[in-house]
Amino acid sequence: MKKPKTIIITGANRGIGLQAARDLASDGHMIIMTSRDLKKGVEASKEVPGEPIVHQLDVTDSKSIKDFAKFIEEDVNRIDVLINNAGSVFDDMAATTNQPLDTSMEVLRKSFDLNFFGVYELTKSLLPFFDPEGRTDVINISSGMGSLTDMGGGVPAYRFSKAALNAFTVYLGNNMNSKNLFVNSVCPGWVRTDLGGPNASRDVKDSTQALRYIINEEPDHNSQFLRDKEIIDF
Ligand SMILES: NC(=O)c1ccc[n+]([C@@H]2O[C@H](COP(=O)([O-])OP(=O)(O)OC[C@H]3O[C@@H](n4cnc5c(N)ncnc54)[C@H](OP(=O)(O)O)[C@@H]3O)[C@@H](O)[C@H]2O)c1
């Protein structure tokens, strides 16, 4: 590892976010775990080595984002990595795919609020605090389901919101005009979490490979989509 980094993880109280906190803390980094329910975050932090900071953050709530950015400005000052992990599926998983436009506007809006608008607003609020000197990263946890080259059936609102997230990755990475900010999307694979369900192919322990690769090995990838160490199609 090159140097210990200060890493913010959203939705770090369970699933892939909590595993990322465990793994990256074991790698020697300083972790800021955020959780929309502070108590759940504090409880989860007991499983994380070192002394992670825990802070409340609901990424769909502008006031919560503002309060968190103020905390970073006043108490932390400089950050190296933002992992936009918080996300969910609001589609009816059991719905058939032969009526593709059955998804309600409510489900579409909730999906975009969490998986896209939340990422946009939080990233914008935190950009001023990225260390201007060293390497910095925004890593968006996306999904192969948002890939335009693999736009199969089912969970349309989730797919559209993750495709928009991927567009944000490419746009921000291409337009920051900053030599030290790298922006990438990663797909963790199909993982056994509350979201992925018990039949998923991957244990959560195997879901953080791309994150550790980008943060610890610092490849030059920017505006890319990775699964583990491989670049995949958007
Ligand atoms: N599991 C998979 O197979 C898979 C595959 C591809 C991509 N992903 C992506 O990986 C990420 C993590 O998924 P996961 O499987 O770990 O899901 P999970 O176990 O359901 O955990 C989701 C996390 O997001 C948090 N969250 C939900 N709404 C939030 C909000 N408004 N503000 C802040 N946090 C919020 C949850 O907090 P609460 O506990 O408060 O609800 C929880 O900590 C997601 O972006 C997901 O789309 C997962």
Side-chain angles (χ1 to χ4, degrees):
M1 187 184 61
K2 304 206 171 169
K3 77 165 177 88
K5 300 182 178 183
T6 301
I7 300 173
I8 295 171
I9 306 173
T10 66
N13 57 292
R14 63 187 166 102
I16 294 166
L18 175 55
Q19 186 64 39
R22 281 193 206 104
D23 290 346
L24 293 165
S26 303
D27 293 341
H29 301 292
M30 210 281 275
I31 309 298
I32 302 174
M33 299 174 66
T34 73
S35 172
R36 63 178 163 169
D37 179 332
L38 182 61
K39 267 196 208 149
K40 288 185 185 168
V42 170
E43 197 50 40
S45 73
K46 294 176 185 162
E47 297 178 32
V48 176
E51 292 183 0
I53 293 173
V54 187
H55 201 281
Q56 196 278 338
L57 176 61
D58 180 338
V59 301
T60 62
D61 176 349
S62 295
K63 178 167 183 314
S64 176
I65 290 179
K66 223 179 231 171
D67 290 348
F68 180 64
K70 192 161 181 270
F71 162 76
I72 294 295
E73 180 175 23
E74 292 175 355
D75 290 38
V76 179
N77 194 247
R78 285 279 170 256
I79 56 172
D80 300 298
V81 182
L82 168 62
I83 301 176
N84 284 308
N85 165 74
S88 199
V89 179
F90 297 98
D91 299 87
D92 177 0
M93 300 290 262
T96 57
T97 56
N98 54 8
Q99 289 182 310
L101 295 188
D102 262 3
T103 308
S104 70
M105 292 309 295
E106 192 197 348
V107 165
L108 282 164
R109 289 199 174 99
K110 275 170 83 168
S111 305
F112 271 79
D113 270 347
L114 176 57
N115 298 336
F116 179 69
F117 296 129
V119 172
Y120 179 91
E121 190 172 5
L122 179 67
T123 306
K124 181 177 169 177
S125 305
L126 296 179
L127 275 181
F129 312 118
F130 276 76
D131 186 349
E133 305 293 328
R135 159 141 181 165
T136 55
D137 288 272
V138 173
I139 308 176
N140 297 321
I141 309 280
S142 184
S143 166
M145 292 216 169
S147 170
L148 295 182
T149 49
D150 188 20
M151 199 47 73
V155 293
Y158 183 68
R159 287 179 184 276
F160 302 159
S161 62
K162 291 292 190 183
L165 176 64
N166 285 346
F168 176 62
T169 293
V170 176
Y171 182 86
L172 191 66
N174 285 350
N175 291 288
M176 270 306 290
N177 296 324
S178 159
K179 288 198 181 66
N180 74 329
L181 181 71
F182 295 74
V183 188
N184 291 288
S185 283
V186 307
C187 169
W190 185 25
V191 186
R192 289 189 292 279
T193 60
D194 293 340
L195 186 157
N199 297 325
S201 52
R202 275 198 156 174
D203 188 273
V204 72
K205 288 196 175 105
D206 300 320
S207 67
T208 62
Q209 293 180 53
L211 293 174
R212 296 176 100 174
Y213 171 54
I214 293 170
I215 293 167
N216 295 335
E217 297 183 39
E218 303 187 349
D220 282 340
H221 305 321
N222 183 41
S223 299
Q224 298 287 354
F225 195 9
L226 284 91
R227 186 178 290 126
D228 302 335
K229 293 186 176 187
E230 301 297 322
I231 291 179
I232 57 172
D233 289 336
F234 273 114

